Amino acid sequence: MSNAQPRSATTVALLADIPSTGHVGEAGAHRFPLRGDTVGARSSAFVAFAIEQVRAGRKVVALYPAWQATDAERAVNFARGALRTDRIAGIGVDLSPLALSLVADQLAYLAPYLPPGMVAALSGELPKHLLAGAWLRTVSGLSTLPTSMRQHMGSYAPSVSFLAFCAPTARVGRLRPAEIAAGLPFRPVQPVQLLSSTPDPAITKVFDDNLPQAIQPVATRNLPAQPLGGTYWGTSKYVEFVALSAHPQALAYAAGSIRASACAWCGEPMAARPCPFCSANSTGHPIYTPPASTVRPPTPGPRSTPPAGPPTVPRPPRAGAPAPGPPPNGEARQRSPQPPRSPQSPTTSVEEPPHRRLDPRSYSR
């Protein structure tokens, strides 16, 4: 009997006042701004939503900003306690609001094709494939990224500004136009799209004159400022940005980069300990380790052709399709490098551990 997850096994939620970028179309995460005068009022909408999803047979992956976690953690604990279930995972992500909004929507886009544990694992993998940060006029109020006393003192000089990155690494440095291209910590695979937002469009000249030339995107989008942008960056004088690959195989490559093992208690795939659902700290057999020959960056596409839409994921193979046989006459056939497996393929299904038949927690579900 197959243990493959149904297409509707996972629901992605974002517990913060972080609107969608609209980059992946309608496949966005469910958002809960957690507004209200009391903890109960701020948590009630998500708790009701989580109860509905769990009773419908789905698991919930709830993302929230790690730098504003208190109310979100309480909401997740309320929902888990109300149902006495471990089918709700709360995951703090240390990203700026614009980058977190994009990652949440990308997870919602991939969720129908992956088991819940893989969706949770991708919350830490997807930021490694982005270049996200901001141009800052000052870092005197920045507390979410590491800064030095020298940088704080430099904030008072009228001609100094800064370039800060939160993904794939966290770092802050002075903006030196001649060194931007060589100093980028990561370059997404071409073609590249650039998303940006600012609360003050009158301050974007320094950003517009320097960063796009270094990243060389084929398409740019200016978005409304995120409500929590000033909270994260510690100033209203900023231009937030995210550069991402719009290659059709970009998300498939990110999903294929994860090495996952089955949780020894609940059986979900987990790429890091403890398990985001049941908090177990041990793993069983590996369930998905992509071969080295198949985990390759996607082939760069033509830089002159703008992407037609959000990154697409290939369709899974038809059920019952015959597997390719060995080469005739024992001769080894030369194969060209293959793209990473699609996130939609059923290769990440989890074989249920034998002790699950006697799982004592099943009596309370």
Side-chain angles (χ1 to χ4, degrees):
M1 184 176 73
S2 173
N3 288 318
Q5 297 288 339
R7 286 175 59 88
S8 59
T10 315
T11 299
V12 178
L14 179 54
L15 308 187
D17 188 10
I18 298 179
S20 174
T21 64
H23 186 71
V24 298
E26 297 180 357
H30 298 267
R31 283 165 163 79
F32 300 90
L34 304 183
R35 299 191 188 101
D37 297 331
T38 64
V39 174
R42 292 190 289 271
S43 305
S44 59
F46 171 72
V47 172
F49 171 82
I51 291 174
E52 177 186 356
Q53 296 298 311
V54 170
R55 288 178 176 171
R58 291 182 284 271
K59 289 190 175 183
V60 178
V61 175
L63 306 182
Y64 56 85
W67 39 272
Q68 196 178 74
T70 303
D71 284 343
E73 290 175 345
R74 288 174 176 173
V76 171
N77 290 335
F78 287 163
R80 289 170 62 97
L83 288 169
R84 295 186 178 181
T85 184
D86 58 8
R87 297 176 65 87
I88 304 168
I91 301 176
V93 183
D94 197 4
L95 290 176
S96 64
L98 189 64
L100 179 53
S101 177
L102 176 64
V103 167
D105 288 341
Q106 287 179 328
L107 285 179
Y109 180 76
L110 293 171
Y113 312 107
L114 297 172
M118 289 290 288
V119 175
L122 274 172
S123 65
E125 179 66 26
L126 289 178
K128 299 177 184 178
H129 302 263
L130 301 175
L131 179 66
W135 170 84
L136 303 172
R137 173 58 191 86
T138 175
V139 297
S140 60
L142 181 62
S143 60
T144 52
L145 297 176
T147 55
S148 66
M149 179 60 69
R150 183 175 182 179
Q151 290 170 339
H152 279 267
M153 296 301 296
S155 298
Y156 294 97
S159 60
V160 173
S161 62
F162 300 86
L163 196 58
F165 298 98
C166 62
T169 59
R171 78 183 196 195
V172 180
R174 285 185 58 176
L175 176 65
R176 295 180 172 90
E179 302 175 4
I180 293 179
L184 293 178
F186 175 72
R187 286 182 176 274
V189 174
Q190 290 283 356
V192 174
Q193 285 188 325
L194 180 63
L195 311 179
S196 64
S197 67
T198 178
D200 186 0
I203 65 171
T204 63
K205 186 179 187 306
V206 176
F207 174 86
D208 294 337
D209 290 346
N210 292 281
L211 201 69
Q213 285 78 358
I215 297 175
Q216 298 182 345
V218 298
T220 60
R221 289 181 59 204
N222 297 319
L223 302 170
Q226 288 284 339
L228 297 180
T231 302
Y232 183 87
W233 298 113
T235 178
S236 60
K237 303 294 184 181
Y238 71 89
V239 181
E240 190 174 13
F241 67 87
V242 177
L244 68 151
S245 174
H247 192 281
Q249 290 292 327
L251 290 181
Y253 171 65
S257 301
I258 295 178
R259 274 70 172 172
S261 298
C263 174
W265 179 257
C266 68
E268 278 295 337
M270 51 185 288
R273 301 180 184 181
C275 174
F277 289 96
C278 69
S279 298
N281 207 31
S282 60
T283 59
H285 57 283
I287 57 171
Y288 184 61
T289 302
S293 60
T294 62
V295 179
R296 298 171 181 263
T299 305
R303 288 170 52 181
S304 59
T305 305
T312 58
V313 181
R315 293 285 182 183
R318 291 180 299 174
N329 302 325
E331 297 178 357
R333 293 180 293 181
Q334 295 293 329
R335 296 177 181 266
S336 59
Q338 298 295 316
R341 293 183 182 271
S342 163
Q344 294 175 307
S345 65
T347 58
T348 57
S349 60
V350 182
E351 182 179 350
E352 190 172 351
H355 72 267
R356 280 280 289 173
R357 302 175 190 145
L358 298 178
D359 186 351
R361 298 191 306 160
S362 62
Y363 298 122
S364 62
R365 293 181 182 171

